[in-house]
Amino acid sequence: DSVRSAEGSIEEGTTSRDVFISFIRMENSGKNIHFYQRVWNRLPFKPFISIFAMTCKDICGCCCNRKSRFHRKRMWKKVLIGIFRTLVIVVNMFAIYIALVACVATTQIKGTKALLPAVHEAVYKNMDYEEVCAFDMKGGSILQFDDQEEAHLANYSVAHCGECGYCSNWNDLELQYSTRNNLAEQAQECGLKTMFQGVTALQDCLESDIGWTHECARCWAEDIVCTKKHCMFIYLQSQITNQVGNFKVSKDSITSATCEEAYCEAGPAGYFVPCVGANRRRMNITSDIQRPGAQRCGITDVHDWEEFFYPKDL
Protein backbone atom coordinates (compact mmCIF):
# COMPACT_ATOMS: atom_id res chain seq x y z
CA ASP A 1 0.00 0.00 0.00
CA SER A 2 0.96 3.56 -0.51
CA VAL A 3 1.82 5.61 2.53
CA ARG A 4 0.45 9.18 3.02
CA SER A 5 3.30 11.66 3.39
CA ALA A 6 3.53 14.50 5.91
CA GLU A 7 2.18 16.95 3.31
CA GLY A 8 -0.93 14.80 2.86
CA SER A 9 -0.25 13.49 -0.70
CA ILE A 10 0.30 9.87 -1.69
CA GLU A 11 3.67 8.86 -3.04
CA GLU A 12 4.46 5.43 -4.46
CA GLY A 13 7.25 3.60 -2.70
CA THR A 14 7.28 5.74 0.49
CA THR A 15 8.24 3.73 3.56
CA SER A 16 7.26 4.17 7.21
CA ARG A 17 10.80 5.40 8.00
CA ASP A 18 10.43 8.15 5.38
CA VAL A 19 7.22 9.29 7.04
CA PHE A 20 8.87 9.28 10.48
CA ILE A 21 11.78 11.40 9.23
CA SER A 22 9.33 13.86 7.66
CA PHE A 23 7.56 14.36 10.99
CA ILE A 24 10.84 14.88 12.82
CA ARG A 25 11.83 17.56 10.34
CA MET A 26 8.49 19.31 10.83
CA GLU A 27 8.91 19.27 14.60
CA ASN A 28 12.38 20.78 14.35
CA SER A 29 11.08 23.54 12.08
CA GLY A 30 8.28 24.42 14.53
CA LYS A 31 5.53 24.16 11.93
CA ASN A 32 3.52 21.72 14.03
CA ILE A 33 3.50 23.87 17.16
CA HIS A 34 0.01 25.09 17.98
CA PHE A 35 -0.68 28.83 18.08
CA TYR A 36 -1.17 28.97 21.85
CA GLN A 37 2.15 27.15 22.39
CA ARG A 38 3.99 29.71 20.28
CA VAL A 39 2.32 32.55 22.24
CA TRP A 40 3.27 30.92 25.55
CA ASN A 41 6.92 30.63 24.51
CA ARG A 42 7.01 34.37 23.85
CA LEU A 43 5.30 35.57 27.03
CA PRO A 44 7.59 37.84 29.12
CA PHE A 45 6.87 36.06 32.39
CA LYS A 46 7.59 32.55 31.10
CA PRO A 47 11.09 32.54 32.71
CA PHE A 48 9.50 33.22 36.11
CA ILE A 49 6.91 30.47 35.65
CA SER A 50 9.73 28.12 34.69
CA ILE A 51 11.26 28.59 38.14
CA PHE A 52 8.27 26.80 39.65
CA ALA A 53 8.50 24.01 37.06
CA MET A 54 12.15 23.11 37.59
CA THR A 55 12.71 19.37 37.53
CA CYS A 56 14.69 17.39 40.03
CA LYS A 57 17.43 17.06 37.47
CA ASP A 58 17.60 20.84 37.07
CA ILE A 59 17.94 21.40 40.80
CA CYS A 60 20.09 18.49 41.93
CA GLY A 61 21.64 16.60 39.06
CA CYS A 62 23.86 14.69 41.47
CA CYS A 63 20.82 12.88 42.85
CA CYS A 64 18.91 12.28 39.63
CA ASN A 65 21.58 11.52 37.08
CA ARG A 66 24.68 9.79 38.36
CA LYS A 67 26.27 9.83 34.92
CA SER A 68 26.08 13.62 34.60
CA ARG A 69 29.16 15.85 34.72
CA PHE A 70 27.68 17.42 37.84
CA HIS A 71 27.91 14.09 39.64
CA ARG A 72 31.60 13.79 38.74
CA LYS A 73 32.48 17.16 40.30
CA ARG A 74 34.03 17.43 43.72
CA MET A 75 31.77 17.98 46.70
CA TRP A 76 32.77 21.61 47.31
CA LYS A 77 31.94 22.44 43.68
CA LYS A 78 28.56 20.73 44.06
CA VAL A 79 27.89 22.83 47.15
CA LEU A 80 28.82 26.05 45.33
CA ILE A 81 26.58 25.17 42.39
CA GLY A 82 23.73 24.37 44.76
CA ILE A 83 24.19 27.71 46.56
CA PHE A 84 24.32 29.57 43.25
CA ARG A 85 21.14 27.95 41.96
CA THR A 86 19.38 28.68 45.24
CA LEU A 87 20.46 32.33 45.05
CA VAL A 88 19.17 32.55 41.48
CA ILE A 89 15.76 31.30 42.63
CA VAL A 90 15.72 33.67 45.63
CA VAL A 91 16.70 36.68 43.50
CA ASN A 92 14.03 35.89 40.94
CA MET A 93 11.40 35.40 43.63
CA PHE A 94 12.38 38.72 45.21
CA ALA A 95 12.11 40.38 41.80
CA ILE A 96 8.59 38.99 41.41
CA TYR A 97 7.72 40.26 44.92
CA ILE A 98 8.99 43.77 44.15
CA ALA A 99 7.15 43.87 40.83
CA LEU A 100 3.89 42.74 42.48
CA VAL A 101 4.20 45.25 45.32
CA ALA A 102 5.04 48.08 42.91
CA CYS A 103 2.08 47.31 40.65
CA VAL A 104 -0.52 47.13 43.43
CA ALA A 105 1.00 50.09 45.32
CA THR A 106 0.71 52.19 42.15
CA THR A 107 -3.01 51.37 41.99
CA GLN A 108 -3.46 52.26 45.67
CA ILE A 109 -1.55 55.55 45.23
CA LYS A 110 -3.75 56.46 42.26
CA GLY A 111 -6.88 55.77 44.33
CA THR A 112 -5.50 57.83 47.22
CA LYS A 113 -4.86 60.85 45.00
CA ALA A 114 -8.38 60.62 43.63
CA LEU A 115 -10.00 60.53 47.09
CA LEU A 116 -7.88 63.11 48.96
CA PRO A 117 -9.62 66.29 47.70
CA ALA A 118 -13.06 65.13 48.88
CA VAL A 119 -11.68 63.96 52.24
CA HIS A 120 -9.89 67.28 52.83
CA GLU A 121 -13.13 69.07 51.98
CA ALA A 122 -15.05 67.03 54.56
CA VAL A 123 -12.45 67.02 57.34
CA TYR A 124 -10.63 70.35 57.16
CA LYS A 125 -12.51 73.02 55.17
CA ASN A 126 -14.87 74.21 57.96
CA MET A 127 -12.99 72.74 60.92
CA ASP A 128 -12.90 76.03 62.87
CA TYR A 129 -16.53 76.97 62.20
CA GLU A 130 -18.53 73.84 63.01
CA GLU A 131 -19.21 71.79 66.15
CA VAL A 132 -16.73 71.81 69.03
CA CYS A 133 -16.11 69.55 72.00
CA ALA A 134 -15.56 71.60 75.17
CA PHE A 135 -15.03 71.24 78.94
CA ASP A 136 -15.99 73.33 81.97
CA MET A 137 -12.84 72.57 83.98
CA LYS A 138 -9.89 70.18 83.93
CA GLY A 139 -11.24 66.74 84.80
CA GLY A 140 -14.79 68.05 84.64
CA SER A 141 -17.70 67.74 82.22
CA ILE A 142 -17.10 67.43 78.47
CA LEU A 143 -19.96 68.44 76.16
CA GLN A 144 -20.56 69.12 72.48
CA PHE A 145 -21.62 72.56 71.20
CA ASP A 146 -22.64 73.89 67.81
CA ASP A 147 -19.67 76.25 67.65
CA GLN A 148 -17.01 78.02 69.72
CA GLU A 149 -19.27 80.95 70.56
CA GLU A 150 -21.98 78.73 72.05
CA ALA A 151 -19.37 76.92 74.16
CA HIS A 152 -18.00 80.21 75.50
CA LEU A 153 -21.50 81.46 76.35
CA ALA A 154 -21.87 78.34 78.53
CA ASN A 155 -18.47 79.06 80.18
CA TYR A 156 -16.91 76.02 78.50
CA SER A 157 -13.44 75.92 76.91
CA VAL A 158 -12.87 74.28 73.53
CA ALA A 159 -10.85 71.06 73.82
CA HIS A 160 -10.96 70.19 70.15
CA CYS A 161 -12.71 71.04 66.90
CA GLY A 162 -15.44 68.75 65.64
CA GLU A 163 -18.01 66.61 67.33
CA CYS A 164 -17.21 64.68 70.50
CA GLY A 165 -16.48 60.99 69.99
CA TYR A 166 -15.39 57.88 71.85
CA CYS A 167 -11.92 59.34 72.50
CA SER A 168 -13.24 62.67 73.84
CA ASN A 169 -12.64 61.81 77.49
CA TRP A 170 -9.91 62.87 79.91
CA ASN A 171 -7.93 59.62 79.73
CA ASP A 172 -7.73 59.66 75.94
CA LEU A 173 -7.25 63.43 75.65
CA GLU A 174 -4.13 63.18 77.79
CA LEU A 175 -2.89 60.19 75.79
CA GLN A 176 -3.21 62.23 72.59
CA TYR A 177 -0.60 64.58 74.01
CA SER A 178 1.67 62.17 75.93
CA THR A 179 2.06 59.83 72.93
CA ARG A 180 2.36 62.63 70.35
CA ASN A 181 5.89 61.61 69.25
CA ASN A 182 5.40 57.86 68.85
CA LEU A 183 1.66 57.07 68.65
CA ALA A 184 1.74 56.12 64.96
CA GLU A 185 4.63 53.71 65.57
CA GLN A 186 2.92 52.18 68.62
CA ALA A 187 -0.27 51.64 66.61
CA GLN A 188 1.78 50.05 63.80
CA GLU A 189 3.42 47.68 66.28
CA CYS A 190 0.01 46.50 67.50
CA GLY A 191 -1.08 46.09 63.89
CA LEU A 192 1.94 43.91 63.11
CA LYS A 193 1.64 41.97 66.37
CA THR A 194 -1.97 41.00 65.63
CA MET A 195 -1.67 40.84 61.83
CA PHE A 196 -3.29 37.41 61.52
CA GLN A 197 -5.78 37.87 64.33
CA GLY A 198 -9.12 39.62 64.45
CA VAL A 199 -10.09 43.18 65.22
CA THR A 200 -10.81 42.23 68.84
CA ALA A 201 -7.21 41.13 69.43
CA LEU A 202 -6.00 44.37 67.86
CA GLN A 203 -8.36 46.37 70.06
CA ASP A 204 -7.04 44.57 73.16
CA CYS A 205 -3.45 45.37 72.14
CA LEU A 206 -4.22 49.06 71.64
CA GLU A 207 -6.03 49.16 74.97
CA SER A 208 -3.27 47.43 76.95
CA ASP A 209 -0.11 48.69 75.17
CA ILE A 210 -1.13 52.30 74.54
CA GLY A 211 -3.83 52.82 77.16
CA TRP A 212 -6.89 53.86 75.14
CA THR A 213 -10.28 53.39 76.73
CA HIS A 214 -12.20 50.39 75.37
CA GLU A 215 -14.43 52.16 72.83
CA CYS A 216 -11.66 54.50 71.71
CA ALA A 217 -9.40 51.49 71.10
CA ARG A 218 -12.17 50.00 68.96
CA CYS A 219 -12.15 53.07 66.69
CA TRP A 220 -8.38 52.78 66.29
CA ALA A 221 -8.56 49.03 65.64
CA GLU A 222 -11.15 49.45 62.89
CA ASP A 223 -9.05 52.20 61.33
CA ILE A 224 -5.94 49.98 61.27
CA VAL A 225 -7.93 47.12 59.70
CA CYS A 226 -9.21 49.56 57.07
CA THR A 227 -5.65 50.75 56.42
CA LYS A 228 -4.40 47.17 56.01
CA LYS A 229 -7.09 46.51 53.44
CA HIS A 230 -6.58 49.62 51.32
CA CYS A 231 -2.96 50.70 51.96
CA MET A 232 -0.99 47.51 52.66
CA PHE A 233 1.06 47.60 49.45
CA ILE A 234 2.01 51.25 49.94
CA TYR A 235 3.28 50.18 53.37
CA LEU A 236 5.22 47.25 51.86
CA GLN A 237 6.68 49.53 49.21
CA SER A 238 7.79 51.93 51.94
CA GLN A 239 9.61 49.06 53.64
CA ILE A 240 11.50 48.32 50.44
CA THR A 241 12.44 51.99 49.99
CA ASN A 242 13.17 52.46 53.72
CA GLN A 243 10.43 55.07 54.12
CA VAL A 244 8.24 53.20 56.60
CA GLY A 245 8.65 55.97 59.17
CA ASN A 246 7.53 58.67 56.75
CA PHE A 247 4.24 59.90 58.21
CA LYS A 248 4.17 63.23 56.40
CA VAL A 249 0.70 63.89 55.02
CA SER A 250 0.50 65.89 51.79
CA LYS A 251 -1.12 65.59 48.39
CA ASP A 252 2.27 65.42 46.65
CA SER A 253 3.90 62.67 48.72
CA ILE A 254 1.69 59.59 49.12
CA THR A 255 2.54 57.45 52.16
CA SER A 256 0.57 54.88 54.12
CA ALA A 257 -0.57 57.74 56.40
CA THR A 258 -1.88 59.69 53.41
CA CYS A 259 -3.63 56.59 52.10
CA GLU A 260 -5.23 55.96 55.51
CA GLU A 261 -6.53 59.53 55.54
CA ALA A 262 -8.00 59.19 52.04
CA TYR A 263 -9.79 55.88 52.61
CA CYS A 264 -10.45 55.48 56.31
CA GLU A 265 -10.97 58.83 58.09
CA ALA A 266 -14.14 60.21 56.55
CA GLY A 267 -15.21 57.53 54.07
CA PRO A 268 -15.60 55.78 51.78
CA ALA A 269 -14.15 52.76 53.60
CA GLY A 270 -13.95 53.98 57.21
CA TYR A 271 -15.00 56.82 59.49
CA PHE A 272 -12.16 57.16 61.98
CA VAL A 273 -12.52 60.92 62.63
CA PRO A 274 -16.24 60.87 63.58
CA CYS A 275 -15.62 57.75 65.68
CA VAL A 276 -12.74 59.07 67.80
CA GLY A 277 -13.87 62.71 67.99
CA ALA A 278 -10.61 63.79 69.58
CA ASN A 279 -7.36 63.46 67.70
CA ARG A 280 -4.14 65.41 67.70
CA ARG A 281 -4.86 67.65 64.71
CA ARG A 282 -8.27 68.54 66.18
CA MET A 283 -6.55 69.40 69.48
CA ASN A 284 -3.85 71.39 67.63
CA ILE A 285 -1.10 69.09 68.89
CA THR A 286 2.06 68.83 66.81
CA SER A 287 2.87 65.13 66.43
CA ASP A 288 5.01 62.57 64.61
CA ILE A 289 2.67 62.94 61.62
CA GLN A 290 3.75 66.24 60.09
CA ARG A 291 0.75 68.29 58.98
CA PRO A 292 0.36 71.81 57.56
CA GLY A 293 -1.26 74.40 59.80
CA ALA A 294 -4.47 74.35 57.75
CA GLN A 295 -5.04 70.76 58.90
CA ARG A 296 -4.96 71.63 62.61
CA CYS A 297 -7.71 73.20 64.69
CA GLY A 298 -7.11 76.91 65.28
CA ILE A 299 -9.72 77.66 67.97
CA THR A 300 -8.79 75.41 70.89
CA ASP A 301 -8.72 77.29 74.20
CA VAL A 302 -5.76 75.26 75.48
CA HIS A 303 -2.65 76.80 73.97
CA ASP A 304 -0.10 74.71 75.90
CA TRP A 305 -1.13 71.12 76.51
CA GLU A 306 2.13 70.42 78.37
CA GLU A 307 1.31 73.08 80.94
CA PHE A 308 -2.34 72.02 81.04
CA PHE A 309 -1.72 68.36 81.80
CA TYR A 310 1.60 68.67 83.65
CA PRO A 311 1.78 72.10 85.30
CA LYS A 312 5.27 72.97 86.53
CA ASP A 313 4.07 74.68 89.72
CA LEU A 314 2.77 71.40 91.13
Side-chain angles (χ1 to χ4, degrees):
D1 294 332
S2 299
V3 180
R4 187 174 296 276
S5 71
E7 278 72 21
S9 60
I10 304 295
E11 293 183 2
E12 297 293 337
T14 303
T15 65
S16 299
R17 178 177 176 80
D18 295 331
V19 175
F20 174 76
I21 293 174
S22 296
F23 276 110
I24 294 298
R25 286 174 180 172
M26 283 202 328
E27 288 179 356
N28 292 337
S29 67
K31 291 181 180 179
N32 70 320
I33 300 178
H34 293 293
F35 172 75
Y36 70 87
Q37 290 177 310
R38 291 199 297 271
V39 172
W40 170 253
N41 289 334
R42 285 165 176 76
L43 287 177
F45 56 81
K46 182 176 179 292
F48 297 111
I49 301 298
S50 297
I51 293 174
F52 298 97
M54 292 182 72
T55 63
C56 179
K57 182 178 179 181
D58 292 326
I59 299 173
C60 51
C62 58
C63 301
C64 301
N65 185 1
R66 293 191 173 276
K67 294 182 179 180
S68 66
R69 286 192 299 175
F70 181 91
H71 180 70
R72 294 194 296 269
K73 294 181 182 296
R74 294 188 177 185
M75 180 57 67
W76 66 271
K77 288 187 177 181
K78 294 178 182 179
V79 172
L80 287 179
I81 292 173
I83 293 174
F84 174 76
R85 290 180 177 178
T86 302
L87 286 175
V88 168
I89 294 175
V90 170
V91 169
N92 278 278
M93 294 297 293
F94 185 63
I96 294 173
Y97 168 75
I98 292 177
L100 175 64
V101 168
C103 287
V104 183
T106 299
T107 301
Q108 291 182 342
I109 288 172
K110 189 178 296 184
T112 298
K113 288 182 176 180
L115 291 171
L116 273 179
V119 171
H120 285 181
E121 181 87 6
V123 175
Y124 302 120
K125 185 176 181 180
N126 299 312
M127 179 186 290
D128 294 344
Y129 307 103
E130 296 182 334
E131 294 86 352
V132 297
C133 196
F135 60 94
D136 57 352
M137 64 177 68
K138 182 180 178 180
S141 172
I142 298 177
L143 298 175
Q144 180 176 307
F145 296 89
D146 289 339
D147 53 34
Q148 181 190 36
E149 183 179 358
E150 184 180 274
H152 287 172
L153 288 174
N155 292 321
Y156 272 66
S157 301
V158 175
H160 66 75
C161 290
E163 299 176 349
C164 297
Y166 287 117
C167 299
S168 302
N169 58 74
W170 287 111
N171 176 82
D172 298 328
L173 288 174
E174 183 175 354
L175 272 176
Q176 296 284 357
Y177 180 75
S178 63
T179 62
R180 64 193 181 280
N181 294 322
N182 58 6
L183 178 56
E185 291 182 3
Q186 286 182 284
Q188 273 189 355
E189 287 175 5
C190 274
L192 292 172
K193 191 185 298 184
T194 60
M195 180 174 292
F196 302 106
Q197 303 177 48
V199 66
T200 302
L202 177 55
Q203 179 182 0
D204 291 341
C205 178
L206 293 166
E207 191 174 347
S208 60
D209 290 13
I210 297 178
W212 298 125
T213 55
H214 185 71
E215 292 301 327
C216 179
R218 182 74 182 189
C219 296
W220 275 83
E222 290 176 350
D223 180 65
I224 292 173
V225 171
C226 175
T227 305
K228 284 181 183 179
K229 181 177 180 180
H230 296 282
C231 310
M232 174 61 76
F233 286 89
I234 295 178
Y235 171 78
L236 293 175
Q237 187 179 59
S238 68
Q239 283 189 315
I240 296 172
T241 59
N242 198 28
Q243 292 292 315
V244 71
N246 182 6
F247 299 115
K248 184 177 180 181
V249 177
S250 72
K251 63 181 180 181
D252 299 319
S253 178
I254 304 299
T255 66
S256 54
T258 321
C259 177
E260 177 273 335
E261 183 172 308
Y263 280 97
C264 306
E265 295 209 345
Y271 293 89
F272 174 69
V273 171
C275 187
V276 294
N279 60 29
R280 292 168 297 179
R281 81 201 81 149
R282 282 184 159 191
M283 294 172 65
N284 196 21
I285 296 173
T286 302
S287 68
D288 51 352
I289 298 181
Q290 304 172 43
R291 297 182 182 276
Q295 294 184 8
R296 296 200 300 268
C297 178
I299 60 171
T300 56
D301 289 318
V302 179
H303 303 295
D304 186 346
W305 288 103
E306 176 75 24
E307 179 65 24
F308 181 82
F309 285 122
Y310 315 109
K312 297 178 181 178
D313 56 348
L314 295 180

